[in-house]
Amino acid sequence: MTAPPVPPARAARLAWRPLQRSTRVAIIAALAATLFYQLFLLNPAYRGPGWLWFAMLAAEGLTALHLIGTWWTILAHDDRPESVDATVWRNRLRAGSDAPSIDVFITAYGEEPALVRRTMIAARDMDLPHRTFLLDDGDSDELREIADQVGIDYLRRPGGAHAKAGNVNAGLARTNGEFVVIFDADHVPEPGFLLSILPHFHDPDVAFVQSPQFYTNKVNLVATGSGEAQRIFYELVCPGKNHFNAAFCVGTNVMFRRDALDTIGGIWTGSNSEDIWTSIELHKRGWKSIYVPQVLARGLAPQDVPSYLKQQLRWASGGFEVLLRGRLFKRGIGLTIDQRLQYLFCGTHYLLSLAMLTFMLFPALYLLFALSPIRADGFAWATHYLPFQAAVLLVTWLQSGGFKLSAIVASIGATPVHLRALGGVLLGRPAKWKATNAGGDGIRSLWAVMPLFALLVLNVTAIVVGVLVMADPGPTWLSVGWASMIVLILGRMILESVTGGRLRHGAKPSAGTPAAALPTAGEPAALRPQHAAVTA
């Protein structure tokens, strides 16, 4: 028996831009500017106190290394068209050909019932025959009733071991679909999700197909900034990772081949960053992954600073685990050199926060103690640094079509949390898992940004002291300008936290965003004021 024909769906938004010729030129210029600046820093004639000079070299070297890796990934931009076999299979499915069995999992853990209900209905109504399951780790009787009302299956499990990974594995053990789709409770799929994704499995070696995360609730600085960072990551970086067969699962908006998951015992449970570790284990065994640059589901960004920092802590912990414990360069593990490097960049992305903290301390060290990592006049420094900074910004601007300053503020605001994640991984204390938008409903908090407040006070004090003393006007004013920029960025993030993200609309944002903001439908990029660049 064949399925009824599928009506034509509206075209999905593309999270993809063809690699611009101007981007290639800009990257070549950026490489030259990076070399020019690094040689300046290494020149003994400009060396300041040894320990401070070494700290700057380490920070700038880490930044340059990651930038080069990012530019390499961007240049590998995968412009290949969809395979003919995938297109043929999709057309057959549209004409009513039988589809393989598909199980759709919605993972829930304390999110608002109205939000989860919207996702249930959208998942249920996707094109192609499938079964939809709500996997509820919050043991909510209300969600059980809603699932029954909308006509989908409801599953819960005892204990809650291994957080989301354990929840999905429990669902796998109780279902038998040939393919498995996973959605977070706040990511609402388009009707054509299955029809867009499934045909890519015509290749029997494909383990999973990932589509982008896309946020719709741009209600304040944090939500807008996180959404912008996601957009840049999926448009600039993911097409290059796809070229290297290094696209990784991001935990939602993804379809797996069940047979592939069976080869590794299901979703990886050794970390709360189960998505990237599952990807690594599958790639080690020779499976392929595909990134589809179409927005096929729409979700919610964190809507207050505590929720955002909680998300960043979890993501950064996963990145550092891969960097420090992944043994990426061990011989015979099954990864290609390209895959090893791409997974390495997931960790160095968050390690940039160590460089960021270093840069935020430099102006205060000069204004308070007359300590500078380099001894050069302002003109010599500017002629080497400014071309480098301009080239870095230009690459991102050209390929992404511009970016919003909120992404810079949100990224810098997460610096202390990224360093906390690094410490947790080094000490063997992993971040606890909690759904991003569970309980995060416009929370006001000064405590969440106390490290930022301490950095702000330090730089404000340094500005006052520097202006009053004014030992050397040129370097002093340069440091005052740098410190003032840091104060503005930190102050904006602190204000966002203590107001609960209410500045834009003057009203309490809610995880249950109205349908107008959420149509019936994440390694992130970091932008820094000193080196504002998207990262792989």
Side-chain angles (χ1 to χ4, degrees), residues 13 15 17 213-214 218 226-236 399-404:
R13 180 189 185 279
R17 286 168 56 87
Q213 291 190 64
F214 183 80
K218 300 176 182 179
S226 358
E228 183 70 359
Q230 290 292 301
R231 180 187 71 85
I232 294 173
F233 173 71
Y234 287 110
E235 288 186 4
L236 265 74
Q399 186 57 30
S400 68
F403 53 82
K404 297 177 181 177

Side-chain angles (χ1 to χ4, degrees), residues 164-184:
K164 181 180 174 181
N167 193 14
V168 173
N169 285 338
L172 288 171
R174 299 166 71 179
T175 57
N176 56 14
E178 185 178 348
F179 296 95
V180 178
V181 178
I182 301 174
F183 293 116
D184 284 346

Side-chain angles (χ1 to χ4, degrees), residues 18-40:
L19 183 62
Q20 308 296 305
R21 185 175 301 173
S22 56
T23 302
R24 293 188 177 95
V25 175
I27 288 177
I28 293 172
L31 287 169
T34 301
L35 179 62
F36 184 56
Y37 180 52
Q38 294 294 320
L39 290 175
F40 165 73

Side-chain angles (χ1 to χ4, degrees), residues 231-353:
R231 180 187 71 85
I232 294 173
F233 173 71
Y234 287 110
E235 288 186 4
L236 265 74
V237 177
C238 285
K241 289 186 178 295
N242 196 53
H243 175 81
F244 296 120
N245 188 30
F248 56 83
C249 167
V250 299
T252 185
N253 311 344
V254 62
M255 179 184 287
F256 283 98
R257 187 189 301 274
R258 185 183 288 265
D259 286 347
L261 287 177
D262 287 345
T263 64
I264 61 170
I267 300 295
W268 189 256
T269 58
S271 166
N272 284 336
S273 295
E274 75 292 331
D275 40 20
I276 193 167
W277 281 101
T278 299
S279 307
I280 291 174
E281 292 303 316
L282 288 168
H283 283 143
K284 283 181 178 180
R285 287 159 178 78
W287 289 97
K288 296 178 183 178
S289 62
I290 292 178
Y291 168 68
V292 174
Q294 295 174 284
V295 175
L296 299 170
R298 288 166 167 79
L300 295 176
Q303 296 187 152
D304 53 61
V305 172
S307 296
Y308 169 70
L309 296 181
K310 175 181 63 182
Q311 179 194 69
Q312 290 297 304
L313 177 65
R314 191 172 72 249
W315 289 1
S317 295
F320 288 133
E321 285 177 357
V322 171
L323 180 67
L324 300 175
R325 299 178 182 174
R327 298 181 180 179
L328 295 176
F329 293 94
K330 181 182 178 181
R331 294 181 59 183
I333 62 172
L335 297 177
T336 67
I337 186 64
D338 291 328
Q339 289 173 326
R340 295 170 198 248
L341 289 171
Q342 290 300 320
Y343 280 117
L344 176 73
F345 297 148
C346 295
T348 58
H349 164 75
Y350 294 105
L351 201 57
L352 287 178
S353 285

Side-chain angles (χ1 to χ4, degrees), residues 30 33-34 37-38 41 56 59-64 67 71 352-364 373-374 381-382 384-394 396 403 405 407-409 411-413 415 455 459 478-490 526-535:
T34 301
Y37 180 52
Q38 294 294 320
L41 296 177
M56 174 169 239
E60 295 286 10
L62 173 62
T63 302
L67 285 173
W71 295 333
L352 287 178
S353 285
L354 189 59
M356 185 69 246
L357 178 63
T358 304
F359 297 135
M360 285 195 284
L361 293 175
F362 280 159
I374 57 173
W381 178 83
H384 290 83
Y385 175 76
L386 292 181
F388 165 69
Q389 174 65 21
V392 168
L393 288 170
L394 186 62
T396 305
F403 53 82
L405 294 179
I408 297 176
V409 176
S411 178
I412 293 175
T415 295
L455 284 168
N459 278 278
L478 184 63
S479 297
V480 166
W482 188 349
S484 298
M485 181 174 60
I486 293 170
V487 167
L488 289 174
I489 292 172
L490 298 181
L527 295 165
R528 311 191 292 116
Q530 281 72 43
H531 306 296
V534 61
T535 61

